[in-house]
Amino acid sequence: MKELPLADVYRLIEPGPVVLLSTRSRQGRSNVMTMTWHMMVAFTPPTIACIVSSNDLSFFALRQSKECVIAIPAVGLADKVVKVGNCSGRDTDKFATAWLTPLPAERVSAPLIAECFANLECRVVDTRLVNKYNLFVLEVLKAWVDPGQPKPKTLHHIGNGAFVVDGEVIHLESSMP
């Protein structure tokens, strides 16, 4: 074994695919950010925890509106995902800059993203860890998938601008859903 710098630990515990988080402020302004720090916390109802930096414009919209959309892009959107992550919504219309199409959601005011293969309409159900860790707990209210994107491959961030793409699927016996 060789010692690993503690600053690199996050690269080992990659939480899942890179997603896009869309929000809409009370003033009606939509924004989208790239997010990698999230995880499932319950099956039913589907509940997701995510970390949104208090430096991000999306943090304030999420805290204010208590709702968002988690849009899951396939690997073909990698350039757009990185473009969204490399600019600020304070001075940029990220939807226009990345050529992403906002669509109306059914249960929340934040927009779905047409180019993504899945969209999850969410509401904030727990903010007890926001002040300390910027951690929001979200309940998925409605889920959408694009049947025109069968078997999408997702993008996973492993640090310092490096990404991996979903690989081979294997099936093993499991008692979990």
Side-chain angles (χ1 to χ4, degrees):
M1 291 290 203
K2 176 184 169 194
E3 185 175 352
L4 178 72
L6 294 177
D8 290 339
V9 168
Y10 79 96
R11 297 175 70 187
L12 300 174
I13 307 294
E14 184 269 318
V18 176
V19 300
L20 297 172
L21 179 88
S22 77
T23 55
R24 179 167 305 196
S25 69
R26 285 191 189 146
Q27 294 75 28
R29 183 169 178 218
S30 294
N31 190 43
V32 60
M33 66 169 274
T34 301
M35 182 172 70
T36 58
W37 289 19
H38 52 80
M39 67 177 183
M40 292 298 301
V41 293
F43 292 117
T44 308
T47 308
I48 300 168
C50 67
I51 304 227
V52 179
S53 170
S54 59
N55 294 324
D56 292 327
L57 183 62
S58 297
F59 176 90
F60 300 102
L62 185 57
R63 193 168 217 181
Q64 180 187 65
S65 70
K66 296 189 175 20
E67 58 185 34
C68 63
V69 168
I70 295 176
I72 307 171
V75 69
L77 295 177
D79 288 340
K80 292 180 181 211
V81 167
V82 171
K83 182 175 262 190
V84 165
N86 284 336
C87 63
S88 171
R90 286 184 175 80
D91 53 22
T92 305
D93 178 344
K94 293 187 186 187
F95 280 96
T97 298
W99 294 85
L100 293 171
T101 310
L103 296 175
E106 195 172 290
R107 304 276 310 268
V108 300
S109 64
L112 307 176
I113 300 175
E115 293 78 8
C116 290
F117 73 85
N119 283 270
L120 310 174
E121 297 182 39
C122 303
R123 74 171 171 202
V124 175
V125 293
D126 192 337
T127 58
R128 287 177 286 180
L129 295 175
V130 169
N131 288 339
K132 188 168 185 177
Y133 296 109
N134 297 339
L135 188 140
F136 293 86
V137 179
L138 312 170
E139 179 183 332
V140 179
L141 304 173
K142 185 102 180 172
W144 304 92
V145 293
D146 180 356
Q149 296 189 53
K151 299 183 182 180
K153 298 282 188 183
T154 54
L155 189 64
H156 299 255
H157 184 248
I158 57 170
N160 296 334
F163 297 84
V164 295
V165 177
D166 277 346
E168 176 185 353
V169 175
I170 62 171
H171 296 276
L172 305 170
E173 190 172 326
S174 173
S175 61
M176 300 301 292

